[in-house]
Amino acid sequence: MRTNQKKKLQSHDAGETTDLQDSTLGPEQQGTIISRFGQHADVETDGGHLARCNIRRNIKSLVTGDKVIVRLALTSESGASRIEGIVEAVHPRHSQLSRPDLYDGVKIIASNIDQILIVTSVKPAFTTQIIDRYLVAAEDTGIQPVIILNKVDLITPEDAPEIDAALERYQSIGYQVYRVSSITGEGVEQLHALMDGKVSVFVGQSGVGKSSMINAMMPDAELLTGDISQNSGLGQHTTTTAKLLHIATGGDLIDSPGVREFALWHLPADRVGWCFIEFRDYLGTCKFRDCKHLNDPGCSITEAFKAGEITEDRYNNYHRIIASLDEQRHARHFRAGPDE
Ligand SMILES: Nc1nc2c(ncn2[C@@H]2O[C@H](COP(=O)(O)OP(=O)(O)O)[C@@H](O)[C@H]2O)c(=O)[nH]1
Ligand SMILES: [Mg+2]
Ligand SMILES: [Zn+2]
């Protein structure tokens, strides 16, 4: 059933990609993928022109954020298709975000991201467990994470000491921490400075204030993409595709529901350990190679924890993550069937 649907889509696509002849195309230019819809992509050339383009068939993967070589049509045919050029090639990526996919195992959603802004808040309750899950997922991509505490206007005197202490622990192991309120505007200027010159994504649980923060930072975001993303023929892709948005004060934001749902899906235990950055000095020095870093004799992680080099909170969260990933693996094992 699904295979048939896929076949149909592919043959349908084949008819759409042959409407530009080489002789009608201009010189090669550098560009950036602003968004991708099926067999088309919106490309911004380095000259600042936004063009909807076809994609050469030999390009296997093309996502928002990709740096590309593009050729624009010399004469713009005012037809229904509005195809203005073709993406010829993709430059190597320095980073990518992906998520599990039913068909392909993993689906890449965006590329060339410089920093992952992990948004957390006071309400829903501040919790280091969730922050650590996002930190692990971010470290696994190799993209620099930054912690953003939103809704600082809601911090009560009772909650403040615990939150301050937790944030200081993150700073002491090397993470940048920002405190903002998208309601009062506190810290928003610093956020602009953080994002200037970089490509960022916001991730975090529902309700922490990602949308509010993006609106506070760039009230014109919708105007920038609203126009070109209307295309009846491309259906549902248009609502879920990642979009690259320029921030007026400098820097770019890549955003989509898929990007915001960035999460920790599955990693082997040794990779999780490596993603706890302050564990790295000790990894490989435990007595047993398959050390669980719990009650194992000669465990250097546990020794570092007991010596106060690793905090109790991070040590406990490491074990919680390992336990939850084990559970997930078992659940998946039981669910997996031929048509699942
Ligand atoms: N008090 C306060 N509320 C906020 C702040 N930022 C967002 N909110 C509220 O938190 C709720 C969830 O925000 P939203 O942006 O939809 O979160 P998202 O799910 O992460 O996109 C909304 O009711 C916002 O008005 C803030 O800085 N302070
Ligand atoms: Mg939202
Ligand atoms: Zn160990």
Side-chain angles (χ1 to χ4, degrees), residues 14-175:
E16 292 190 319
T17 48
T18 49
D19 48 356
L20 286 174
Q21 311 289 298
D22 270 13
S23 60
T24 68
L25 292 169
E28 291 187 345
Q29 302 183 54
Q30 303 297 325
T32 303
I33 301 298
I34 298 298
S35 54
R36 162 86 196 262
F37 317 93
Q39 285 305 111
H40 304 102
D42 289 343
V43 182
E44 185 179 65
T45 66
D46 281 5
H49 181 76
L50 192 57
R52 177 150 294 177
C53 294
N54 281 336
I55 301 160
R56 285 283 181 220
R57 303 217 125 232
N58 58 322
I59 295 176
K60 292 282 174 280
S61 173
L62 188 73
V63 298
T64 302
D66 274 337
K67 297 292 181 186
V68 296
I69 295 170
V70 65
R71 291 173 72 194
L72 300 188
L74 290 168
T75 52
S76 61
E77 297 161 43
S78 51
S81 74
R82 288 161 59 224
I83 295 300
E84 290 185 73
I86 189 154
V87 178
E88 297 280 0
V90 190
H91 293 291
R93 296 168 180 154
H94 72 72
S95 69
Q96 55 190 33
L97 276 195
S98 53
R99 65 175 167 80
D101 182 75
L102 221 49
Y103 297 122
D104 308 322
V106 274
K107 187 177 163 58
I108 299 162
I109 36 187
S111 72
N112 297 323
I113 295 153
D114 298 311
Q115 54 187 1
I116 296 178
L117 308 185
I118 301 171
V119 183
T120 174
S121 82
V122 179
K123 203 178 151 205
F126 177 85
T127 143
T128 61
Q129 261 191 72
I130 306 234
I131 294 175
D132 284 338
R133 291 185 71 91
Y134 279 109
L135 284 174
V136 167
E139 291 294 344
D140 182 53
T141 67
I143 304 169
Q144 181 67 54
V146 178
I147 299 167
I148 315 285
L149 177 69
N150 186 34
K151 309 195 191 181
V152 293
D153 57 293
L154 296 182
I155 299 182
T156 61
E158 301 88 78
D159 293 340
E162 193 193 319
I163 293 175
D164 287 345
L167 294 179
E168 274 161 30
R169 288 197 300 271
Y170 286 114
Q171 285 172 312
S172 74
I173 55 173
Y175 288 117

Side-chain angles (χ1 to χ4, degrees), residues 150-151 153-154 181-183 205-212:
N150 186 34
K151 309 195 191 181
D153 57 293
L154 296 182
S181 167
S182 35
I183 299 282
Q205 272 183 302
S206 175
V208 293
K210 297 178 296 298
S211 299
S212 312

